[in-house]
Every structure is written in structure tokens, then in C-alpha cells.
């Protein structure tokens, strides 16, 4: 993260090597070869956790889970026995980045996919990772896996994603890390203008694009699910809570109650990450007890709009052993 003047600017320089079916970047799709490293706290990593689960890739792509907090050096595996990832054998994700490049100068971010035999990070390009899981890993999708990035809808999905990223996914950070009143107010207004537009769009349709869940819904959901717990107070995005935006609140509950979404969410870890790590925003490190999350399981009535969550496919099965949220 960085600021240029008063504006928050996200460093989007990532390792863009891709894991593909034809291995054109030197890393072919191979069951068991790679490990997806995530944190349940991180919205960008949460996308890949959801996509992996919806597509049923657990048997071919293992997952390491970092703890919710980190220092300036790296995310750590403090949730694992001995504080060490059982597959990669490392204590810090930083070790996998330095194995790829001993002079690696950029951010140590999740999600990251690590080549297990070499211990080197292949990619941390979060936006491309989920698209590649949908397209390049297709041979290993479970029977009944949904098409999250259907070819005929990609242009519309990409357009929606661009606006959601600029004003919502990244917009909450631009508000929260602003270094001037003007920068904050500009981000705040863009955020709520986009949320209002999305609310209008979703007032007559169950999902953002087409009549099934797509990549676009996943990208919006991971911000909405953190909104009241973190962004409303911690990042000063406080015009209205999610629970006070009827359409988006019902839409978010619909997704939360869909297998593969809510079962990836750990509100305690989400709050611990933001309120403990961001000491420039929250110097005391005190983690709030609220909000009450029981409303996430209440009726949403979005099924009345039609739509088929998984299209011609089926819901994912039970959460893989060892991956259930406490």
C-alpha cells in the first residue's frame, strides 16, 4: 500500500506468471503441484477461496491459510502447528517470494500460488488467478461446476468488474487511507454512487451478469461481506451500513447463504486483521465486538427474482477437511 500525496494508490505490480493448461509460461496445470496461499481476512484472497471451492479444485490445488495479522515483512503461518506451513515448510510467505527472487522488491501479498517442488511463488496476480482457475484448470473442475466466466458474457463481466474494482473494492481503501479531507470525500462519493448504481441494477435481477453466479458477483461479495464489520467504521465509509441498503443487503445475504460463499467467511479474523494491522488508522489496536452478524442467515427472498445460482450445475459439496471456518 502507498500514498501519492493525499490519494491512496494501490501498488498493482504483481508476479504475473500464469499457470496454464499449455504451460506457456513454464508452469503447466498439474494436480498436486501448486499450493494456494491465502488469508481469510483478505478480500482479494477470499475471491480465490470461493472460486476454488465452487469449482471443486480442492483435490488438485491445496490451500495454506495464513493468520489474520502480519508485520511489515510478511504474512505468517501462525495458525499452523509450530507456526510453519505443513506443505511448504515455511514460517513466512516472504520465504516463497525470496525463493523466486532473492531481491524481490515488491509487496508480499495474498493470494499467492506457490510451486511446491521449488518453493517459489509463481503468481500473486489476484485478478488473473481466479480467471485462470475458471478457464485454465477446467479439466480438473468437479462434475457440476458452474461456469463463472462464461465466454459470451466476458465483456460485460469485465466492464462490471472494472467499475466495482475502481469504486468499491479499492474505493473503500481509498477512503480509509486518504491523507486529506478532499481525497477522502472524493473516494467516499465514488463509493456510494457506485453502490447506488449497483443497487438499482440488482433491484430487478438476482445476479450482476446473466442469471447465474459469475466472477462479477464474487468480486463484489468479498467487499460487501466486510462492509459493516470493517469499512463502515474503520474506513469511514459511513453514509449507510450494508444493512441499511435493502437491495444490496438482500443480495449479499443470498450469496452468503449459497454454499461456497458464507462458509469461507471468518468475521473474527477479518476484524482482527484490519483493526490490529492498520495502526495508522486505529492506533490502539482495539478490535470492536460488533456488529451482530446473526442477520446474515435471515431470509432474503431474492429467489423471487428467478435466476439459477449454478446454472446447469450443482452446489459444491461439504467443506474440505481442515478448511472449515471455526
Amino acid at each position: 500500500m502507498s500514498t501519492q500525496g493525499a490519494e491512496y494508490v494501490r501498488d498493482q505490480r504483481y508476479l504475473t506468471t500464469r499457470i496454464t493448461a499449455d504451460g506457456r509460461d513454464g508452469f503447466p496445470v498439474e494436480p498436486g503441484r501448486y499450493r494456494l496461499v491465502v488469508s481469510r481476512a483478505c478480500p482479494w484472497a477470499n475471491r480465490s477461496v470461493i472460486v476454488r471451492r465452487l469449482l471443486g479444485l480442492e483435490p488438485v490445488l491445496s490451500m495454506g491459510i495464513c493468520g489474520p495479522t502480519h508485520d511489515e515483512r510478511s504474512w505468517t503461518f501462525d495458525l499452523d502447528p509450530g507456526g510453519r506451513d505443513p506443505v511448504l515448510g515455511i514460517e513466512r510467505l516472504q520465504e516463497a517470494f525470496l525463493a523466486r527472487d532473492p531481491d524481490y522488491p515488491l509487496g508480499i501479498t495474498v493470494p499467492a500460488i506457490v510451486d511446491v517442488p521449488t518453493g517459489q511463488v509463481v503468481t500473486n496476480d489476484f485478478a488473473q488467478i481466479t480467471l485462470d482457475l475458471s478457464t485454465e484448470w477446467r479439466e480438473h473442475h468437479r462434475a457440476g461446476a458452474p461456469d463463472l466466466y462464461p465466454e459470451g458474457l466476458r465483456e460485460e463481466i469485465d466492464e462490471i468488474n472494472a467499475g466495482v474494482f475502481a469504486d468499491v473494492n479499492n474505493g473503500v481503501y481509498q477512503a480509509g487511507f486518504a491523507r486529506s479531507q478532499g481525497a477522502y470525500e472524493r473516494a467516499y462519493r465514488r463509493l456510494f454512487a457506485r453502490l447506488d448504481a449497483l443497487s438499482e441494477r440488482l433491484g430487478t435481477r438476482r445476479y450482476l451478469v446473466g442469471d447465474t453466479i459469475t466472477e462479477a458477483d464474487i468480486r463484489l461479495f468479498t467487499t460487501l461481506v466486510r462492509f459493516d464489520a470493517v469499512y463502515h467504521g474503520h474506513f469511514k465509509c459511513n453514509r449507510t451500513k450494508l444493512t441499511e441498503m435493502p437491495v444490496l443487503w438482500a443480495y449479499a445475504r443470498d450469496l452468503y447463504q449459497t454454499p461456497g460463499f458464507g462458509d469461507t467467511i471468518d468475521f473474527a479474523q477479518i476484524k482482527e486483521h484490519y483493526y490490529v494491522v492498520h495502526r495508522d488508522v486505529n492506533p490502539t489496536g482495539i478490535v470492536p465486538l460488533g456488529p451482530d452478524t446473526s442477520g446474515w442467515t435471515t431470509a432474503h427472498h431474492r429467489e423471487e427474482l428467478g435466476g439459477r445460482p449454478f446454472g446447469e450445475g450443482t452446489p459444491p459439496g461439504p467443506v474440505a477437511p481442515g478448511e472449515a471456518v471455526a
Side-chain angles (χ1 to χ4, degrees):
M1 299 180 182
S2 64
T3 56
Q4 293 181 2
E7 304 280 351
Y8 166 76
V9 178
R10 179 172 297 280
D11 186 350
Q12 296 187 64
R13 296 172 296 166
Y14 302 108
L15 294 170
T16 57
T17 309
R18 292 174 62 189
I19 300 168
T20 58
D22 63 7
R24 57 186 177 273
D25 283 2
F27 292 93
V29 170
E30 292 181 19
R33 176 173 173 176
Y34 305 101
R35 187 160 177 82
L36 174 65
V37 178
V38 302
S39 168
R40 293 202 184 278
C42 173
W44 318 101
N46 196 177
R47 299 175 177 187
S48 60
V49 178
I50 292 170
V51 170
R52 171 179 174 269
R53 174 144 162 65
L54 293 180
L55 299 179
L57 290 171
E58 296 96 329
V60 297
L61 177 63
S62 68
M63 186 169 73
I65 304 175
C66 297
T69 62
H70 61 76
D71 56 22
E72 293 181 355
R73 290 174 57 194
S74 177
W75 295 89
T76 57
F77 294 96
D78 47 287
L79 301 178
D80 292 303
R84 191 177 294 273
D85 182 85
V87 173
L88 300 173
I90 59 177
E91 296 179 346
R92 291 177 173 271
L93 181 56
Q94 181 187 48
E95 296 174 55
F97 280 84
L98 296 179
R100 166 79 180 259
D101 178 0
D103 299 314
Y104 183 74
L106 306 177
I108 310 297
T109 63
V110 289
I113 299 183
V114 180
D115 180 42
V116 175
T118 64
Q120 299 179 8
V121 168
V122 178
T123 179
N124 64 333
D125 187 356
F126 66 87
Q128 191 63 48
I129 284 173
T130 51
L131 298 182
D132 284 345
L133 292 180
S134 283
T135 57
E136 302 294 332
W137 290 72
R138 192 178 297 274
E139 180 183 349
H140 303 287
H141 291 181
R142 65 178 175 86
D147 187 351
L148 301 174
Y149 196 49
E151 194 163 356
L153 297 176
R154 289 180 187 178
E155 185 175 346
E156 187 177 1
I157 291 172
D158 291 346
E159 181 180 359
I160 292 289
N161 286 346
V164 167
F165 172 80
D167 299 332
V168 180
N169 301 146
N170 197 46
V172 292
Y173 286 86
Q174 289 180 316
F177 290 125
R179 290 295 179 264
S180 77
Q181 187 70 30
Y184 160 73
E185 290 183 8
R186 288 190 292 274
Y188 175 102
R189 291 191 177 101
R190 289 196 307 270
L191 166 66
F192 283 103
R194 181 69 63 176
L195 290 177
D196 287 344
L198 291 167
S199 181
E200 183 176 355
R201 181 182 182 91
L202 289 164
T204 56
R205 56 194 303 160
R206 190 171 179 184
Y207 303 111
L208 282 170
V209 182
D211 66 349
T212 64
I213 291 168
T214 68
E215 176 83 14
D217 299 294
I218 295 165
R219 294 189 182 196
L220 178 57
F221 172 79
T222 58
T223 295
L224 294 183
V225 78
R226 288 162 173 76
F227 201 89
D228 287 4
V230 175
Y231 304 138
H232 178 271
H234 184 58
F235 279 174
K236 306 179 183 70
C237 300
N238 61 354
R239 188 197 74 178
T240 41
K241 298 175 183 176
L242 176 65
T243 55
E244 296 166 345
M245 295 182 271
V247 172
L248 291 179
W249 174 222
Y251 166 78
R253 297 202 315 278
D254 185 7
L255 291 175
Y256 183 88
Q257 295 170 33
T258 300
F261 285 83
D263 52 34
T264 72
I265 301 301
D266 189 318
F267 285 111
Q269 289 195 22
I270 288 169
K271 290 192 297 183
E272 184 178 357
H273 169 72
Y274 285 90
Y275 286 100
V276 171
V277 172
H278 300 159
R279 290 302 177 101
D280 53 338
V281 178
N282 184 44
T284 64
I286 293 173
V287 180
L289 293 177
D292 180 3
T293 58
S294 61
W296 282 98
T297 57
T298 60
H300 52 77
H301 305 294
R302 293 282 294 178
E303 65 279 356
E304 296 171 8
L305 293 172
R308 303 166 298 150
F310 301 101
E312 301 298 329
T314 58
V319 176
E323 295 184 5
V325 174

